[in-house]
Amino acid sequence: MDLRRLTSFLAVAEEGHFGKAAERLFRSPASVTAHIKQLEHDLGVHLLERSPVRLTPAGERFVGHARGLLAALDAAMADVAEAGAARALRIGVMSNGSAELTPAAVQAFQRACPEVPVEFVALDFTEHVSALVQNRVDVAFVRPAPVDERIAVDVVTTERRIVVVPASWELADAAAVSLDDVLELPYVSLPEHTPRQFRDYLYFADARGGLSPHRSRSHAVTPHEVLTTAAAGRGAGSALESFQRYYPWPGTVCVPVLDAPPEHSVLATRSDDRNPAVRTFRSLTTSLARELGPRLRLA
C-alpha cells in the first residue's frame, strides 16, 4: 500500500476539507483526491462522503488502522536508526587510571574512531573486576592486574609505590621510607567484598609474611575517602607514584617506598569481547604505552 494514500486520507479526515489537507501536505488538491480514490479502490469501500466531507462508517473504522500503520512505520525506522548508530565505548577509570596514558589513549581513540561516542565511568576499589564482568564498562584502567580468566589484561604502566600519610605524622617528614617503616601503619579499611588482589596491593601483602595489616576504623573505597581519612590523621593509604600528581591534598603527604616492588596499572577488558571498538582501543593503548611511556612520566 502506498503510504502517500494513507497520509492524504488522514489529512482529509482531520481537516474535513480536501483543499486544507492539500495545503498541509504541500500537495495539489488533485493529487490528494487521486490518493483517496485509489485507496478506496484498493479497499473496495467508500471512506469519505464528499459533500460535505465526512467519514463513512468504513472510514471511521479505517482511521485507527491508518494511524497505527504510520506509527508502526515510524517506530520501525527509529529502531533501525538506533541499531545503526555507533554504541558508546564505556571507559572505566579507577583512581587516576594509568596516569597521563589514560587521556592520551582516549584522545588517540577519538581521532581513530570519531563516530564512536565515549563515556567515562568512575570505578571504586571494589569494582576491580565486577564492572567488566557485569558489563557496566567495556574497558577499564585499574591497578593491580586482576587475576580472573574472564578478564584480559595489558600492563600499561609500571610505577614506584608510595604511602599516603597525614602531614602531622613523623613519617611525613621523610624524603623516602622502606617497607619496614610502613608495614605497621594503620591503613584505611576496605569493604569485605573488595577483590583480594586489590587488598593485597593496598596493604603490601607480599611483604607481610602472612600477617594481617593494622586497620583504621575509617573505611574507604575511593581516593577521596583515603585522602580525607589521612588529612584527619586517622589512617594511611598506599598508591602508585603518579597518584600524588593527580591528588595533591592539604594535610596529606605522599612518601616513596624505596624497596617496595614496582606495581603495574593495566588496561583490563573482557576476554571474550569481540567489539571492534574495544579491540581498537586496546591496540592503541598498548602501542602508546610502548612508545610514549617514558615521555608521559611513567618510567
Side-chain angles (χ1 to χ4, degrees):
M1 181 176 289
D2 191 330
L3 294 177
R4 293 175 300 172
R5 300 174 188 176
L6 291 179
T7 57
S8 289
F9 165 69
L10 286 175
V12 173
E14 292 167 1
E15 296 291 343
H17 193 280
F18 279 79
K20 291 180 179 179
E23 290 178 6
R24 171 172 147 184
L25 298 173
F26 300 99
R27 295 173 183 166
S28 69
S31 67
V32 171
T33 300
H35 288 161
I36 301 300
K37 288 182 178 179
Q38 291 162 351
L39 182 60
E40 289 177 326
H41 179 270
D42 291 342
L43 295 173
V45 295
H46 288 293
L47 300 173
L48 292 163
E49 298 289 350
R50 268 43 175 193
S51 184
V53 176
R54 64 177 182 270
L55 292 167
T56 65
E60 292 278 3
R61 298 179 67 172
F62 189 66
V63 163
H65 294 299
R67 287 175 176 149
L69 287 169
L70 292 176
L73 176 64
D74 289 341
M77 293 176 67
D79 185 59
V80 170
E82 181 179 349
R87 192 183 78 181
L89 182 72
R90 300 163 298 171
I91 302 174
V93 183
M94 176 186 285
S95 185
N96 59 304
S98 294
E100 290 84 357
L101 185 66
T102 298
V106 173
Q107 290 168 14
F109 177 78
Q110 291 179 317
R111 287 193 297 270
C113 303
E115 74 284 0
V116 180
V118 169
E119 296 176 359
F120 295 101
V121 180
L123 304 180
D124 66 37
F125 302 155
T126 70
E127 298 173 300
H128 192 238
V129 172
S130 61
L132 280 164
V133 172
Q134 295 171 7
N135 198 33
R136 289 185 280 113
V137 299
D138 302 304
V139 300
F141 289 96
V142 298
R143 80 285 303 277
V147 179
D148 191 306
E149 63 182 9
R150 298 168 294 179
I151 305 298
V153 168
D154 294 296
V155 173
V156 290
T157 74
T158 301
E159 301 183 53
R160 186 162 61 177
R161 296 299 305 278
I162 61 171
V163 288
V164 184
V165 298
S168 58
W169 288 5
E170 183 177 347
L171 195 68
D173 295 327
V177 293
S178 67
L179 280 168
D180 287 342
D181 298 318
V182 302
L183 293 183
E184 297 303 313
L185 297 178
Y187 287 91
V188 292
S189 295
L190 297 172
E192 289 302 317
H193 62 284
T194 304
R196 179 176 177 179
Q197 286 91 22
F198 191 84
R199 288 173 177 273
D200 289 351
Y201 155 80
L202 184 72
Y203 298 140
F204 298 100
D206 288 346
R208 293 184 177 279
L211 297 177
S212 297
H214 295 293
R215 300 189 189 184
S216 163
R217 293 183 179 179
S218 296
H219 288 72
V221 293
T222 66
H224 180 272
E225 291 171 343
V226 171
L227 289 162
T228 53
T229 296
R234 300 182 60 180
S238 73
L240 302 183
E241 188 172 30
S242 60
F243 181 92
Q244 62 189 319
R245 298 200 297 274
Y246 285 80
Y247 295 103
W249 199 270
T252 69
V253 176
C254 295
V255 185
V257 185
L258 294 181
D259 58 344
E263 186 57 83
H264 309 301
S265 75
V266 303
L267 178 68
T269 57
R270 286 181 290 276
S271 299
D272 60 353
D273 199 328
R274 299 294 179 263
N275 182 349
V278 170
R279 293 199 296 268
T280 298
F281 190 88
R282 185 177 179 185
S283 176
L284 289 169
T285 302
T286 53
S287 295
L288 282 169
R290 289 191 301 270
E291 298 170 11
L292 303 181
R295 290 180 5 209
L296 293 172
R297 301 173 67 188
L298 300 175

